[in-house]
Amino acid sequence: TAQLREALASERAYTNGTYDEALMRAERCVELAPYWYRGHLCAARCFFANREGDRAFEALERVLFLDPNLRADKEFREMYIELAQDGRC
C-alpha cells in the first residue's frame, strides 16, 4: 500500500541520515493513514534527530494513543526518557 511504501522510504531516508526527506515521507504516510502509528513514529524519529523535542514528544504521544503496546518498544522508551530528562514531558 502507499502508506507502507512511504513509511519504508522514511525509514530508509532516516537510516541514511537524510532527515528532511525522512520527515517528508513520514508526513505523507500520516496523510495517507492518520490512524496508523507507524507514520507518527517515523515523524517522531525525525523530530528527535533534528532536536525538535516538543514536536517529537507530540508525535510520540500520538503513537502511544494509537498503539499503547509500543510503550514497551526500546527505541520509543529511549526517546521518551531523553525527552523527559529535557523537561519535554
Side-chain angles (χ1 to χ4, degrees), residues 13-83:
Y14 178 83
T15 300
N16 291 332
T18 53
Y19 302 129
D20 290 336
E21 179 185 348
L23 180 57
M24 178 188 71
R25 296 294 192 139
E27 289 174 339
R28 179 72 179 134
C29 181
V30 169
E31 288 175 18
L32 293 168
Y35 300 107
W36 187 38
Y37 78 89
R38 195 159 178 180
H40 297 283
L41 184 58
C42 290
R45 286 182 187 127
C46 296
F47 293 137
F48 188 79
N50 286 331
R51 310 309 270 164
E52 297 180 55
D54 291 335
R55 293 180 78 186
F57 178 72
E58 289 173 13
L60 289 176
E61 286 291 298
R62 284 191 296 278
V63 168
L64 196 55
F65 176 78
L66 295 170
D67 190 346
N69 294 323
L70 284 173
R71 185 183 308 267
D73 179 78
K74 181 182 178 198
E75 181 183 18
F76 180 93
R77 281 194 330 267
E78 288 173 353
M79 280 192 289
Y80 203 87
I81 288 168
E82 187 168 328
L83 290 169

